[in-house]
Amino acid sequence: MCGRYAQSRNVHQLQLAFGLPEQALPEEADPRSWPPLEELEPDYNISPGRPVYAVLGPPPRADDQGPPGPRTLHTLRWGLVPSWAKDRNVGYRMINARSETVADKPAFRTAYRRRRCLLPADAYYEWQLVGKDGTVQASTSPATDPQHKKRKAKADKKPYSIHYRDDRPLAMAGIFERWRDPEVPEDDPAAWVWSCAVITTEAAPGLDHIHERMPVVVPPEDWAAWLDPASGADELAHLLEETPVDRFAVDEVSTDVNTIKNNRPDLLEPLTDTGGGEPGTLF
């Protein structure tokens, strides 16, 4: 799964990294038609419910005339709130969508077909379980491990940072949705909540000793296809299997990241006693 990540780039830096047109921060954009764009502070310990940047494809058009518009940057809430949900807090339980079921699960299938996005990250964090006797084992997912909570409660957690070796931003595969808050007047911008989920898949060899799951990361050569609303089921299924793990590096980092109130750049620094501070490569 993916339950925490870091993202420190500002709007301009992300526009350059993803080849996006420059956008002025809108003063009075209509939140009903398309997600907003806000300037966010660097966040080195993003947790569910926080605002995050997302790269979106062209917005829907009334007809098929003319070329599609450019990709653009927006701000979403992490934790997908389905359009039919009664409460926005359901999003805390929907921060991830499994690649194996995202096309069929009612909460995710429409967003998967029509509203896909890229979620930029400096790195994502994952935790390995360490028993009281010092033995280590990979963390598991509650969706597949009935003993997940018990196993987690009895172990310490050793955190790792996974990122590109050249420190380019990861582009995690995401889906997004719009939800109308029935308790807020329609003319209030807060009435419309745009939210997202990270798609996860089975962890690749070299990462599966840390956790059995990992986020799907879309390589730059596949960004256009992932964001294209015309991409079909077969192509999307192929993209979900194309995470470029051979370009990744893995660092053991400080347990300070285990607490969400800690939010500092040094959370990404590798521990110096595990290889002299040099990142470990997978291949």
Side-chain angles (χ1 to χ4, degrees):
M1 61 183 297
C2 176
R4 213 83 66 76
Y5 68 97
Q7 203 303 114
S8 63
R9 290 172 172 84
N10 61 30
V11 167
H12 181 63
Q13 290 169 324
L14 288 173
Q15 289 168 342
L16 291 176
F18 285 86
L20 307 176
E22 291 192 13
Q23 299 165 250
L25 294 175
E27 295 182 0
E28 296 184 3
D30 184 354
R32 295 172 297 182
S33 60
W34 210 229
L37 172 61
E38 305 167 17
E39 185 74 65
L40 303 177
E41 293 295 322
D43 196 334
Y44 299 94
N45 203 354
I46 299 174
S47 58
R50 299 293 296 273
V52 297
Y53 286 125
V55 178
L56 275 54
R61 293 177 293 160
D63 53 51
D64 293 328
Q65 301 300 315
R71 300 192 293 259
T72 49
L73 189 67
H74 298 270
T75 311
L76 306 175
R77 180 182 187 267
W78 187 20
L80 190 137
V81 184
S83 60
W84 41 261
K86 296 181 179 180
D87 189 313
R88 70 176 66 197
N89 288 333
V90 72
Y92 287 103
R93 303 195 301 271
M94 296 189 180
I95 63 171
N96 293 160
R98 296 173 64 88
S99 63
E100 299 88 344
T101 57
V102 66
D104 303 312
K105 193 170 182 178
F108 301 132
R109 61 191 180 194
T110 302
Y112 177 66
R113 288 197 301 268
R114 302 178 182 175
R115 291 178 288 277
R116 296 181 298 276
C117 62
L118 298 170
L119 299 169
D122 297 351
Y124 73 91
Y125 300 110
E126 205 50 85
W127 283 264
Q128 188 180 54
L129 300 181
V130 182
K132 303 303 180 183
D133 60 356
T135 58
V136 297
Q137 60 180 313
S139 291
T140 58
S141 167
T144 58
D145 181 10
Q147 300 298 316
H148 169 78
K149 288 186 177 180
K150 184 177 180 181
R151 195 189 313 276
K152 186 176 178 181
K154 290 185 175 181
D156 293 326
K157 298 197 300 178
K158 181 188 292 186
Y160 290 85
S161 162
I162 298 94
H163 55 94
Y164 276 132
R165 290 196 301 268
D166 61 5
D167 290 327
R168 289 180 297 123
L170 301 173
M172 299 187 295
I175 54 176
F176 69 100
E177 188 60 272
R178 184 185 70 167
W179 177 74
R180 167 75 168 88
D181 189 337
E183 297 183 359
V184 179
E186 186 170 349
D187 58 355
D188 186 333
W192 304 93
V193 177
W194 292 87
S195 60
C196 62
V198 176
I199 299 180
T200 66
T201 189
E202 182 179 352
L207 292 174
D208 55 0
H209 70 290
I210 302 173
H211 197 289
E212 67 175 12
R213 305 289 295 178
M214 68 179 188
V216 173
V217 173
V218 183
E221 58 269 25
D222 291 336
W223 290 349
W226 177 253
L227 295 175
D228 186 350
S231 293
D234 290 344
E235 184 172 15
L236 293 175
H238 173 72
L239 294 175
L240 292 175
E241 299 176 352
E242 290 298 293
T243 294
V245 293
D246 58 325
R247 308 176 198 176
F248 287 0
V250 180
D251 299 323
E252 183 181 345
V253 294
S254 168
T255 54
D256 284 354
V257 76
N258 295 7
T259 304
I260 59 174
K261 69 179 181 180
N262 294 327
N263 198 324
R264 313 181 305 269
D266 66 333
L267 295 179
L268 290 170
E269 293 182 5
L271 293 183
T272 56
D273 61 350
T274 56
E278 293 297 323
T281 58
L282 296 183
F283 300 95

